[in-house]
Structures are given as structure tokens and as C-alpha cells.
């Protein structure tokens, strides 16, 4: 092999590595039908917040923290103390941090004074310029805007999942499909990019060859490739994230996907065409840009100051949380509970659980990830689509379906009916037919228009027939699954006569992001299927006999019932038609009364936060109001994850800001449950927390924009306006109430009652989870035997003991209630 060939192969290898590094720096974006929260910093978990701040300033021109003035207000109010600042300062790099808390405040004040609009949104830093940016400066034509518009128009057609009346032809990879369209698109040439169609026709046949050619033309040094490629993909907005989703799904299935590489090649061809046209005008500026891309990404002092202020605000929140958890606990009576209800760990469940327990002291609630241990690919009744109702980090292990028609003819008729409804819905959304739809069917829809306009529509819960496993699971598998779930829930003794397993969903109208309000642990679907499937499994007499042999004795009179908690209305549906209820009729009547009372309390509490809500009676109406942009706050405000026995938090108002997972490490032999909690629910919760964080601190890049301007693009995501880049993240109305932020951007504090040695061993085994804690995308605390925050994980597998007050005796719940009544 010649030296020239060796050099060529080395260059290609470095190009491929840089392409993949840039691709993995992009977070995935799930489509609207099953959208789930995603950590926008997923590709940067190995770096600190200051380092990521420097990186994203370079490639996207965004801040990753709030404006300085936001922190200074907290300092002035006393919410952030000198101790918080000093503790955060001690963690910062020594060569870049201010000397002390006082100099930090002065530094922040000076920086804030230099920001023109430091109050509500600091002006974005300037990213490095692309060739398209430099060409725009030279020509006066908005080339970045044109690229976004033409790419978005093509991508919405290419990836369409049923919205378009006429779908783009498939069968080609993205790069080839784009070339076939772009070679006939005269828009760039009309705008002044002469010969662009011919440039596309003459382009290399493969994406990798495009990368090689453009890198050579632009004279990009190898050191510049990663951040330059990252910037190219960031410039395509949510489309790159959707391509990253396709790669994610492929790799989860043991395959691969080249869409994101194709996208990079497409974007580079635009750069190449513009450089060919304007290269003589921009050469000097471009050379300087290349030199900056080639320099290592290093945090500046300003990045470090911002990181310290952010950590100080998080330490302040942790101080408040520690004070709450250190309050004396409430011991549950040892007698058999009258009713038990297991809810998802979702922060919205915390409000309802607290309300339900307050209704009657004999009620116990539990928290468990809302897929209830059923890793299901599910097909609904009369549906042709499999829904992955499980965390997106995992693959399904079982298949479920809902019911069968009595005859093949009836089943076929119902499927045809369901398909017709879906097709009619797509026809309504198609641009070419929307006006014809209104004109032709307006009179038919007048009743619905009046009903919806006056808020007279009714809330409805999913009501398919009971799910069943298909194929049926064998008995040993059913027994093992039941035991695993019961132990993971720490539900192994003292069972009530009636136990509710409540999944959750959200009943809203006219909301493209509706699935984002559903259950993240169920892949963006509601959780009733998983809850009902588990209830049927746990009611199985053969399964009960099997788990009894394994040490879990379920009383004969205990009945499990699946349910659905609607987080928008706080109504709970019981699917008691799934199970024999004759012996439990009184229990079910009482449970419904308790759930209704708890719903009323919960709605009253939620109404205090929602804009324009006129008491609890107004909450249900918001879900059927087609003009309501804030039907609920979803997970806004989330700040903590607590895995401990419920007695550690019973009676303590966590304000709907904590994920609550029941966990008793004394029942966890080998710490398998702890490992599952730290590697699945904790990671999912971190995605949620950081999506809210990113949508708050950098809404222009990691947020979906204004709901009032949204148009659905291909059924995948939304445009803000009538085209351009696909938007990702949360709409502005999900984090802001119109006057102030509804979400306080805080990285999640994870509090677990378990031996530190066991948690350390799990971090050693899972490098990706350890990186989240080592780089402070999550904080980890060990709770002591009283549920107090006793130890802080300090990175590098080390722990720091926290100061605690002496223990106070626990409160006897019955005595406390008796004293209160007296």
C-alpha cells in the first residue's frame, strides 16, 4: 500500500470518526404520536456544564444557564445564601473561578450590567459563522433561512407519517431522495445561487464522498471537523434530531441507520455551492473560522461563573429539600390498609397521592414506574399499529393486544372503521384539502363546533377490551414476572382487600404535543394497558400459588384492579370490568368515593398554579377547551427523585415537584432492584428534568416555540410558522405562564435510601450513569434510616457526609390525627 493511499485512508477514518461524534452530540426527537422527554445535552454527558456552555456557544450560539440577573435576584432575596455560593465555588476549576462569594457576586453583576437585556432573556452569544452565514453577509441574501426552508419542505414530505394527501415516493435513502428533488428545485437559483440544480446532479453518489470532497474544498483541518460537523447538524434543527432518533431506534434493534450522515452531506453540499459562488469574497473570514473550530473547546471564566451560579441555585433547592425531609416522619399503622393505590412515579402523582392519603388514614399509596414492569409492544382494539408502551431506553419483551371481535367479519368491519377515521383525520390536516374540508363538512360539524366552543364536550378515558398477552406467557414466566414486579414495588406483605394499579394519561384536545403529557415510562402513551395487564397477572390463581412458594403470600380476598389517572382532570377510571368484582362491590364503591374526594382536593391545589383557573371546578373544562394552551403544567417544576419507603415522605408537601419511587433496600437481596432504579427510572427522570431545563434556558434551540404559531409537519413535529426548521423540546407555554417562569431550571437531585457501597458498585458497572452524576447532570444523595439527606455523592466514586440535626422520634399518625381533631 502506497503512502498516499495510507494517508487517504487515515483522512477518511478521521472524517468518519468526526461524523459519528457530531451525530452522537445530537439528541434524538421522538415523533408526535409517541413523543417523550429527551435530555437535550445527551451527547455531552461526559462534560461539565461550563464545558458544554463553551461548546454550544460555538456551534449554536446559546447559553446553557439563566441570565445573571435571574441568579442575582435570588441572591438579593436570600434564596441563594453565601454558603450556597461558597460551596459551589469550591467545586469550580481553580484557575477560572472568582476568589470568594463576594467577588463572584461582583463578577456576575459586572457581567449582567454588560448584557443589554439581562432581565428576561440574555442575548445569545455569537456562534462561529458558517459558509452560509458569510455568504449572507457578502450578498445580502438570507442563505441560512433559505436552506432551512427548502430542507424543511423536503424533509416534511420525505418523512411524512400520514399527514400528506400525496406522500413522497420512498425506497431511497435520504441523501438520494433529496438529490432527486433538489435537482429540480429552482428556488435556490431564483434567489441567486446559480447552477445549484446542476451542482446537485454532479454531486458524489454517496454521503461519505460528499464529506471528503467538501472537507478538502473548505480546507478544514482535522481538529476542526467535530465542532464544524456538529454545527452543521445543529443548523438543521429538529430534523437532525429526528434523524438521530432513527439511528437510536436502529441501534436499539441491533442495526444501524445512515439518515443523520445523509443530512450532514446534504448540508455540506449547500456549503460547497455557496463557497464556490462567494469563496473569493469570504476566504479571509472563513480561514479565521476554520482556525477557531480547530482550537479545543475550553470553558471561559464567564462559562465558569454561570456554572457556579447555577450550582448555587441547585444547592439552595437541595437545602430546602433537606429541611423538608428532615422533619419527623409519619408512621403508618401496622394493621391491614383499607385500600392501596400504586401510581406512576411522575411528579403529578405526588399531588394526587398526598390528597388521597389525606382523605382517610387507612389508605396507602405506592410509587412505581408507570409501565408497571410490563415491557409491552401493544396493539389496540381494531388497530393495525403496534405501540411500544415501555421506556424508550429498552426493547419490548412481550406483546399484548386488546380483545377480539366475536367474528372475523366483525373484526374486519371494525378495522375498516378505525382506518376510515384515521384517514379522515389525515385528510383534514392535509394542506391541499383543508379548505375543501371546511367548506364541504362545515354544516356537519356545526354541532361539534358549538359544543367544543362552549366547552360542553365530555372527557373520555380509553376503554378498549382488557389486554391479553399474545402469545400467552407460560406459567413459570408469569410467576417470575409477578414476583419481580411485586419485589420491585416493595409490595410483599400487608396487602389490602383492594389494590389499584393506576397508570396515567392526559385528556386534551387540539394539542400536537398531547403525547408529551402522557406517560414517559410508557413511551408517550397512557399507562392503562400496562396497569390492566399487570392486574390480570396478579389476580391469576396459579400465579398467586407460584409467588407464595417464593415467599410472597397474596390473601385470597385481595383483588387487583387496573386504572387510569387523568393528570389533566385528576379523574381516576377503574377498569373493574376486567375482573370478578362481586365480592368487592363495597370496596369499589368506597374506593371511588375516596378517589373522587382526592381528585377534588388535587384540582383545588393545581388551580392555584394554572393561569386564569377559577377554582377546582374549572380544571376539567380546560382539557376540552380547544383554545387552552395550558391545560395542565405537566412536569414543570420537577426538582427531585426520591427512592425510599413512602413513610419517609408521607404527609410532607413536595408540591408536585418530586418523582416518588417506593423502595425498601432491606427487601432487595443483591440490590437488583436498586440497579434497575438507578439505570432506568432515574435516567428517564433525568431526561424529563433536563428537557424542561433546556426548554427554559435555551428556548430558541431546545424549545418548540409558541403554541399559537404551530403547524404540524408530516405528523412528526411542528413548525413555528408555515415552514423552516422542525422545532423540538417543550412549547414556551409549558415553562412560562405569560408573566414569569413556571419551571425553575434545576438539575435533578436524586435521593435514595440505600447503602452507599451498593450505589457505588452500580456506578462502577454503568459508566454512562456514572457520567451523569460525575459531571453533575444529576446530583446523588444517600438518605439515612430516618429519610434525611445524609451523604452527597462527590464524584469519582466518593461521598461527602452532610451535617444533620439529632433524630427526633417519629410521629404516630393516629395520635397526631386525634390531637388535630381535638
Amino acid at each position: 500500500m502506497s503512502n498516499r493511499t495510507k494517508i487517504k485512508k487515515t483522512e477518511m477514518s478521521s472524517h468518519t470518526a468526526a461524523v459519528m461524534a457530531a451525530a452522537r452530540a445530537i439528541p434524538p426527537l421522538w415523533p408526535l404520536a409517541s413523543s417523550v422527554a429527551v435530555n437535550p445535552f445527551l451527547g455531552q454527558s461526559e462534560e461539565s456544564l461550563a464545558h458544554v456552555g463553551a461548546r454550544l456557544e460555538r456551534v449554536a450560539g446559546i447559553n446553557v444557564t439563566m441570565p445573571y440577573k435571574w441568579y442575582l435576584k435570588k441572591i438579593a432575596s436570600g434564596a441563594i445564601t453565601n454558603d450556597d455560593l461558597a460551596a459551589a465555588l469550591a467545586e469550580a476549576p481553580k484557575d477560572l473561578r472568582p476568589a470568594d462569594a463576594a467577588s463572584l457576586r461582583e463578577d456576575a453583576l459586572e457581567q449582567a450590567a454588560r448584557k443589554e437585556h439581562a432581565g428576561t432573556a440574555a442575548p445569545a452569544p455569537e456562534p462561529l459563522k458558517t459558509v452560509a452565514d458569510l455568504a449572507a453577509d457578502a450578498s445580502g441574501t438570507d442563505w441560512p433561512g433559505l436552506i432551512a426552508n427548502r430542507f424543511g419542505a423536503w424533509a416534511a414530505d420525505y418523512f411524512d407519517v400520514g399527514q400528506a394527501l400525496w406522500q413522497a415516493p420512498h425506497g431511497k435513502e435520504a441523501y438520494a431522495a433529496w438529490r432527486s428533488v433538489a435537482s429540480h428545485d429552482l428556488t435556490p437559483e431564483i434567489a441567486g445561487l446559480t447552477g445549484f440544480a446542476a451542482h446537485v446532479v454532479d454531486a458524489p453518489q454517496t454521503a461519505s464522498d460528499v464529506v471528503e470532497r467538501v472537507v478538502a474544498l473548505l480546507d478544514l483541518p482535522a481538529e476542526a471537523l467535530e465542532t464544524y460537523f456538529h454545527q452543521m447538524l445543529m443548523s438543521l434543527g429538529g430534523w437532525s434530531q429526528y434523524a438521530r432518533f432513527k439511528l437510536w431506534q436502529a441501534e436499539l434493534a441491533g442495526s444501524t441507520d445512515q439518515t443523520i450522515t445523509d443530512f450532514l452531506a446534504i448540508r455540506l453540499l449547500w456549503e460547497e455551492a455557496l463557497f464556490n459562488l462567494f469563496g473569493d469574497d469570504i476566504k479571509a473570514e472563513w480561514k479565521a473560522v476554520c482556525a477557531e473550530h480547530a482550537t479545543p473547546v475550553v470553558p471561559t471564566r464567564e462559562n465558569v461563573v454561570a456554572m457556579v451560579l447555577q450550582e448555587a441555585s441547585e444547592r439552595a433547592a437541595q437545602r430546602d429539600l433537606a429541611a423538608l425531609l428532615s422533619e419527623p416522619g409519619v408512621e403508618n399503622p401496622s394493621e391491614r390498609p383499607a385500600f392501596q393505590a400504586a401510581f406512576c412515579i411522575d411528579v403529578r402523582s405526588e399531588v394526587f397521592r398526598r390528597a388521597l392519603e389525606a382523605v382517610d388514614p387507612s389508605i396507602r399509596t405506592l410509587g412505581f414506574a408507570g409501565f408497571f414492569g410490563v415491557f409491552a409492544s401493544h396493539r389496540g382494539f381494531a388497530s393495525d399499529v403496534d405501540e411500544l408502551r415501555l421506556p424508550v431506553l429498552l426493547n419490548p419483551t412481550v406483546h399484548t393486544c386488546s380483545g377480539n371481535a366475536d367474528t372475523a367479519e366483525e373484526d374486519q368491519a371494525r378495522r375498516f372503521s378505525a382506518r376510515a377515521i384515521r384517514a379522515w383525520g389525515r385528510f383534514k390536516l392535509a394542506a391541499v384539502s383543508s379548505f375543501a374540508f371546511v367548506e364541504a363538512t362545515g354544516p356537519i360539524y356545526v354541532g361539534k363546533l358549538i359544543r367544543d366552543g362552549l366547552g360542553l364536550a365530555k372527557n373520555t378515558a380509553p376503554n378498549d377490551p382488557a389486554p391479553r398477552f399474545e402469545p400467552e406467557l407460560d406459567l413459570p414466566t408469569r410467576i417470575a414476572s409477578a414476583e419481580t414486579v411485586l419485589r420491585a414495588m416493595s409490595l410483599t406483605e400487608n396487602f389490602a382487600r383492594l389494590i389499584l394499579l393506576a397508570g396515567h394519561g392526559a385528556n386534551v384536545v387540539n394539542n400536537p404535543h398531547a403525547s408529551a403529557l402522557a406517560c414517559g415510562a410508557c413511551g408517550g402513551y397512557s399507562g392503562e394497558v400496562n396497569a390492566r395487564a399487570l392486574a390480570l397477572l396478579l389476580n391469576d390463581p396459579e400465579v398467586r400459588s407460584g409467588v407464595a412458594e417464593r415467599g410472597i403470600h397474596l390473601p385470597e380476598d385481595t383483588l387487583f384492579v387496573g386504572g387510569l389517572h387523568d393528570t389533566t382532570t385528576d379523574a381516576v377510571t377503574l377498569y373493574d370490568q376486567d375482573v370478578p368484582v362481586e365480592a368487592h362491590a363495597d370496596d369499589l364503591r368506597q374506593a371511588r368515593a375516596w378517589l373522587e374526594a382526592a381528585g377534588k382536593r388535587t384540582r383545588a391545589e393545581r388551580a392555584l398554579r394554572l393561569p386564569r383557573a377559577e377554582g377546582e371546578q374549572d380544571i376539567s373544562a380546560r382539557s376540552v377547551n380547544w383554545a387552552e394552551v395550558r391545560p395542565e403544567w405537566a412536569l414543570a417544576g420537577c426538582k427531585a427523585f426520591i427512592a425510599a419507603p413512602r413513610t419517609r415522605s408521607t404527609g410532607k408537601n413536595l408540591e408536585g415537584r418530586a418523582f416518588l419511587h417506593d423502595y425498601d433496600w432491606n427487601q432487595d437481596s443483591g440490590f437488583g432492584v436498586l440497579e434497575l432504579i438507578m439505570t432506568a427510572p432515574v435516567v428517564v427522570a433525568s431526561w424529563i428534568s433536563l428537557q424542561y431545563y433546556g426548554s427554559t434556558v435555551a428556548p430558541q434551540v431546545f424549545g418548540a416555540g409558541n403554541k399559537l404559531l404551530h403547524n404540524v409537519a408530516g405528523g412528526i413535529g411542528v413548525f413555528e410558522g408555515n415552514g423552516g426548521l422542525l422545532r423540538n423540546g417543550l412549547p414556551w407555554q409549558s415553562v412560562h405562564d405569560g408573566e414569569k417562569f413556571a419551571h425553575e431550571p434545576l438539575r435533578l437531585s436524586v435521593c435514595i435510601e440505600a447503602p452507599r457501597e451498593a450505589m457505588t458498585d452500580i456506578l462502577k458497572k454503568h459508566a454512562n450513569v456514572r457520567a451523569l452524576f460525575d459531571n453533575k447532570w444529576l446530583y446523588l444523595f444517600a438518605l439515612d434510616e430516618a429519610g434525611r439527606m445524609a451523604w452527597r455523592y462527590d464524584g469519582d466514586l466518593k461521598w461527602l457526609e452532610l451535617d444533620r440535626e439529632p433524630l427526633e422520634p417519629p410521629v404516630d399518625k393516629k395520635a397526631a390525627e386525634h390531637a388535630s381533631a381535638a
Side-chain angles (χ1 to χ4, degrees):
M1 183 185 294
S2 68
N3 287 337
R4 185 179 183 127
T5 304
K6 288 180 181 178
I7 292 170
K8 183 91 166 173
K9 285 187 172 290
T10 302
E11 287 176 351
M12 283 298 295
S13 174
S14 67
H15 295 173
T16 302
V19 169
M20 291 314 299
R24 296 187 187 286
I26 302 295
L29 172 68
W30 266 254
L32 289 175
S34 57
S35 59
V36 295
V38 175
N39 169 12
F41 312 105
L42 185 63
Q44 289 85 49
S45 61
E46 298 285 345
E47 299 174 345
S48 71
L49 186 66
H51 202 111
V52 172
R55 178 180 298 279
L56 292 181
E57 281 179 6
R58 175 183 294 190
V59 303
I62 59 172
N63 294 301
V64 296
T65 55
M66 293 295 279
Y68 286 110
K69 194 170 181 179
W70 188 83
Y71 300 104
L72 293 171
K73 283 182 179 177
K74 284 183 165 290
I75 293 171
S77 70
I80 296 177
T81 66
N82 279 343
D83 287 344
D84 299 325
L85 290 166
L89 271 170
E91 300 292 315
K94 291 183 179 179
D95 57 333
L96 289 172
R97 71 188 185 200
D100 52 34
S103 63
L104 172 65
R105 283 197 299 274
E106 291 168 9
D107 220 0
L109 280 166
E110 180 185 346
Q111 298 285 0
R114 291 195 287 109
K115 302 281 187 181
E116 185 179 353
H117 301 291
T120 55
E126 287 290 328
L128 295 183
K129 295 206 170 186
T130 65
V131 171
D133 293 324
L134 295 173
D137 293 342
S139 66
T141 300
D142 181 12
W143 294 114
L146 180 69
I147 294 169
N149 180 276
R150 302 319 300 151
F151 187 89
W154 165 77
D157 284 342
Y158 177 75
F159 292 111
D160 183 87
V161 291
Q163 182 183 1
L165 190 60
W166 297 298
Q167 285 191 311
H170 285 271
K172 293 182 178 180
E173 298 291 350
Y175 173 62
W178 173 81
R179 285 183 70 208
S180 66
V181 172
S183 61
H184 296 89
D185 184 3
L186 297 181
T187 307
E189 307 211 22
I190 293 170
L193 189 52
T194 308
F196 183 72
H199 178 73
V200 173
V201 171
D202 295 337
Q205 296 296 310
T206 67
S208 58
D209 286 343
V210 171
V211 172
E212 181 183 4
R213 190 174 87 173
V214 176
V215 166
L217 174 71
L218 299 183
D219 197 21
L220 283 158
E223 298 82 5
L225 295 183
E226 184 181 334
T227 57
Y228 176 63
F229 289 166
H230 186 186
Q231 183 176 27
M232 289 291 96
L233 292 173
M234 290 292 286
S235 73
L236 297 178
W239 294 117
S240 288
Q241 296 190 19
Y242 185 65
R244 179 68 180 90
F245 157 76
K246 292 180 73 65
L247 177 61
W248 179 283
Q249 293 294 87
E251 290 182 336
L252 201 59
S255 181
T256 189
D257 184 272
Q258 68 176 51
T259 304
I260 197 164
T261 306
D262 286 357
F263 278 16
L264 177 61
I266 292 168
R267 182 63 183 84
L268 287 174
L269 277 178
W270 281 96
E271 294 278 280
E272 182 183 47
L274 289 165
F275 193 81
N276 285 337
L277 188 61
F278 298 103
D280 291 340
D281 300 323
I282 64 173
K283 259 180 189 170
E285 294 96 326
W286 178 244
K287 186 175 181 181
V289 168
C290 289
E292 288 196 61
H293 269 299
T295 60
V297 176
V298 177
T300 64
R301 181 181 173 88
E302 188 171 341
N303 295 139
V304 171
V305 168
M307 180 182 71
V308 170
L309 290 170
Q310 177 61 32
E311 183 172 342
S313 73
E314 288 155 349
R315 285 178 176 267
Q318 291 158 4
R319 189 164 33 78
D320 292 341
L321 179 64
L324 181 65
L325 292 179
S326 67
E327 293 176 2
V330 175
E331 286 191 343
N332 285 324
S334 57
E335 63 263 22
R336 187 182 194 184
F339 178 45
Q340 286 169 301
F343 292 86
C344 182
I345 62 174
D346 189 288
V347 300
R348 291 166 288 186
S349 300
E350 186 275 331
V351 185
F352 195 95
R353 289 177 62 185
R354 182 162 31 88
L356 183 58
E357 290 167 342
V359 167
D360 191 283
S362 62
I363 297 172
R364 307 282 184 278
T365 72
L366 303 93
F368 189 66
F371 68 103
F372 285 106
V374 180
F375 300 85
S377 169
H378 177 73
R379 181 163 292 193
F381 187 53
S383 174
D384 299 312
V385 179
D386 286 336
E387 302 165 344
L388 300 180
R389 295 185 177 235
L390 70 158
V392 298
L393 303 169
L394 306 169
N395 282 312
T397 57
V398 296
H399 187 271
T400 60
C401 60
S402 289
N404 271 335
D406 294 334
T407 65
E409 291 77 11
E410 182 185 354
D411 180 70
Q412 186 180 58
R414 289 184 175 178
R415 289 182 185 276
F416 283 166
S417 175
R419 289 173 191 168
I421 291 171
R422 289 196 294 271
W424 189 243
R426 291 167 184 169
F427 177 78
K428 288 190 297 182
L429 290 173
V432 74
S433 62
S434 57
F435 292 105
F437 171 82
V438 172
E439 183 175 348
T441 64
I444 299 172
Y445 268 68
V446 67
K448 178 174 172 55
L449 290 170
I450 293 172
R451 190 166 60 251
D452 289 353
L454 296 177
L456 301 177
K458 301 295 184 184
N459 290 291
T460 56
N463 198 28
D464 273 2
R468 70 178 192 281
F469 295 102
E470 191 180 76
E472 182 64 54
L473 304 179
D474 59 53
L475 182 58
T477 300
R478 300 203 307 276
I479 292 170
S481 299
E483 181 196 12
T484 297
V485 173
L486 288 171
R487 293 196 185 281
M489 294 173 69
S490 296
L491 182 60
T492 56
E493 59 186 0
N494 203 20
F495 299 93
R497 277 178 52 84
L498 181 65
I499 301 177
L500 168 65
L501 304 174
H504 71 93
N507 193 345
V508 294
V509 296
N510 195 30
N511 188 346
H513 291 89
S515 63
L517 301 178
C519 182
C522 296
Y525 295 97
S526 55
E528 84 287 349
V529 168
N530 306 64
R532 295 169 76 180
L534 180 60
L536 292 171
L537 184 69
L538 296 176
N539 285 327
D540 184 336
E542 290 184 305
V543 170
R544 291 191 175 202
S545 297
V547 296
E549 293 175 3
R550 300 181 178 208
I552 302 176
H553 299 277
L554 286 161
E556 288 187 12
D557 65 348
T558 289
L559 178 71
F560 289 87
V561 176
L564 180 68
H565 171 211
D566 185 335
T567 58
T568 311
T569 65
D570 287 302
V572 177
T573 300
L574 302 183
Y575 293 96
D576 51 341
Q577 71 270 23
D578 295 354
V579 293
V581 297
E582 293 79 7
H584 292 79
D586 291 340
D587 301 291
L588 285 163
R589 268 193 298 273
Q590 181 61 78
R592 283 192 167 93
W594 282 333
L595 291 166
E596 185 176 344
K600 189 177 180 70
R601 287 180 180 229
T602 306
R603 287 190 293 274
E605 181 172 331
R606 295 199 202 279
L608 298 175
R609 288 186 63 200
L610 284 166
R612 305 177 312 282
E614 298 177 1
E616 70 89 14
Q617 69 283 353
D618 186 46
I619 299 299
S620 295
R622 299 173 79 94
S623 69
V624 292
N625 181 349
W626 59 6
E628 180 54 66
V629 293
R630 298 180 183 88
E632 59 161 282
W633 277 125
L635 297 103
C638 59
K639 70 172 184 178
F641 181 107
I642 300 172
R646 174 57 172 161
T647 51
R648 306 299 187 243
S649 55
T650 303
K652 298 173 183 178
N653 185 357
L654 289 159
E655 301 175 321
R657 302 186 67 184
F659 298 89
L660 295 180
H661 197 304
D662 275 63
Y663 174 67
D664 184 352
W665 70 268
N666 294 290
Q667 298 184 37
D668 186 14
S669 176
F671 296 108
V673 174
L674 177 63
E675 184 171 5
L676 180 64
I677 290 172
M678 291 181 67
T679 56
V682 165
V683 175
V684 171
S686 79
W687 281 27
I688 293 169
S689 166
L690 289 166
Q691 184 186 59
Y692 274 87
Y693 181 99
S695 296
T696 303
V697 301
Q700 69 275 37
V701 171
F702 293 135
N706 189 339
K707 274 187 177 183
L708 300 177
L709 304 177
H710 282 172
N711 282 294
V712 175
I716 299 167
V718 295
F719 292 138
E720 189 179 23
N722 63 357
L725 298 179
L726 197 71
R727 297 303 301 263
N728 60 86
L730 296 162
W732 183 241
Q733 286 86 348
S734 294
V735 297
H736 200 277
D737 68 5
E739 296 180 359
K740 62 183 183 305
F741 284 101
H743 179 72
E744 182 181 9
L746 300 169
R747 290 169 291 181
L748 205 64
S749 296
V750 178
C751 305
I752 301 177
E753 185 174 330
R756 300 188 305 285
E757 296 78 12
M759 289 189 274
T760 300
D761 288 343
I762 291 166
L763 293 179
K764 285 179 183 176
K765 286 175 61 179
H766 299 277
N768 57 333
V769 177
R770 177 182 169 183
L772 291 171
F773 290 110
D774 276 4
N775 294 299
K776 297 187 179 176
W777 297 104
L778 290 170
Y779 296 93
L780 181 60
F781 296 89
L783 303 182
D784 65 13
E785 70 282 359
R788 300 176 302 175
M789 293 165 66
W791 294 82
R792 171 193 289 271
Y793 179 70
D794 203 34
D796 198 26
L797 304 178
K798 297 174 183 175
W799 295 81
L800 179 67
E801 188 170 12
L802 304 178
D803 292 333
R804 286 163 288 167
E805 296 295 326
L807 275 175
E808 295 184 33
V811 175
D812 183 276
K813 193 170 184 179
K814 279 194 169 179
E817 285 161 357
H818 179 76
S820 177

